Amino acid sequence: MTSPPPESLSKVPEVTLTFWVVKVAATTLGETGGDAVSMSMNLGYLVGTAIFAAVFAVAVAAQISARGFNPWLYWTTIIATTTLGTTLADWTDRSLGIGYAGGSSLLLALLLATLFFWNRSLGTVAIDSVRSPRSEMYYWITIMFSQTLGTALGDWTADSAGLGYLGSAVLFGVLLALVAAAYRWTSASRTALFWAAFILTRPLGAVVGDFLDKPTDAGGLAWSRYTASAALLAFIVACIALFPQRAATRSH
């Protein structure tokens, strides 16, 4: 029996409840882990971004080289995008001086442009079509921009909009609930709803991460960034180990 060619094998997991639970935990880890490197270690946003960009490049190369879906490799790459997204968004918003609104607008434009060119090039942005190096490259660039945009949005609502960490978490939680309701009770595009949910989980994770490690007088719990990151990583590892994930299958 011959093995199917690599291009026929899905490289991403099925979208299940476990997927979303691990995704939110990974985005929260991205916030605490990114801040631990750039702030707690005093390396700054630019150096932190360079470090995580290198990790991201290595992880994506390994993911593309893999013959099939590997949950450990996949979620390592996701975490690499979330940590990179944290430091890159902070560098864009703060170091470049364009603010949360400017940073969010720039990153949204980059995200939409990536989705546009992906769809124009391959005819679809559905995740079950991620079966070739070309589609994977588009997929991971899209995810990286979505993670970065989510960080900027989370900071914008929590700080500039004055909602605070819990208020922002409620806001993004409600928006995610609306997406879930649209998935359950409407015929809206499943691909569009997936990307909407994927983007919204990032600011939710960002504000939850800030809530965990920011000082109590700023509305946080004052956890150590290292402690919060270790706890989140342990939770993610447990989820991957205890709840097996399968590769996504084609919907047609």
Side-chain angles (χ1 to χ4, degrees):
M1 181 177 179
T2 59
S3 299
E7 290 77 8
S8 69
L9 301 175
S10 177
K11 307 288 282 295
V12 299
E14 279 187 318
V15 180
T16 62
L17 178 60
T18 299
F19 173 89
W20 291 116
V21 169
V22 178
K23 170 60 166 63
V24 173
T27 59
T28 308
L29 172 58
E31 187 70 18
T32 59
D35 286 348
V37 170
S38 63
M39 297 180 185
S40 297
M41 294 183 181
N42 295 315
L43 295 180
Y45 302 130
L46 186 57
V47 173
T49 296
I51 292 172
F52 291 124
V55 174
F56 170 68
V58 171
V60 168
Q63 175 74 17
I64 292 176
S65 298
R67 289 186 56 82
F69 170 64
N70 181 313
W72 299 101
L73 178 57
Y74 176 85
W75 288 110
T76 295
T77 311
I78 287 289
I79 292 171
T81 67
T82 65
T83 48
L84 173 59
T86 295
T87 57
L88 181 57
D90 288 342
W91 180 74
T92 302
D93 298 339
R94 301 168 187 174
S95 298
L96 290 184
I98 61 177
Y100 297 134
S104 297
S105 300
L106 173 61
L107 292 164
L108 176 60
L110 291 171
L111 173 61
L112 293 177
T114 304
L115 286 169
F116 172 80
F117 286 113
W118 180 3
N119 187 68
R120 185 180 180 87
S121 175
L122 299 179
T124 179
V125 295
I127 63 164
D128 61 12
S129 70
V130 182
R131 297 165 182 266
S132 68
R134 192 176 181 186
S135 62
E136 280 192 272
M137 187 61 68
Y138 276 115
Y139 177 80
W140 288 112
I141 292 174
T142 301
I143 285 181
M144 190 271 291
F145 281 137
S146 76
Q147 306 284 34
T148 310
L149 170 63
T151 300
L153 285 175
D155 289 340
W156 189 6
T157 58
D159 297 334
S160 299
L163 295 180
Y165 305 126
L166 291 180
S168 295
V170 170
L171 170 63
F172 292 116
V174 169
L175 291 175
L176 281 167
L178 292 176
V179 172
Y183 182 88
R184 176 66 177 82
W185 288 298
T186 75
S187 58
S189 167
R190 276 20 190 175
T191 298
L193 291 175
F194 168 81
W195 285 112
F198 198 96
I199 292 167
L200 287 171
T201 55
R202 179 56 176 125
L204 176 62
V207 295
V208 171
D210 283 337
F211 174 68
L212 292 176
D213 64 29
K214 289 298 187 286
T216 54
D217 58 3
L221 295 180
W223 285 19
S224 160
R225 293 187 179 106
Y226 303 118
T227 300
S229 298
L232 289 163
L233 181 59
F235 176 77
I236 292 170
V237 169
C239 285
I240 297 173
L242 295 175
F243 302 101
Q245 299 174 66
R246 299 182 303 175
T249 56
R250 292 190 186 277
S251 58
H252 56 275

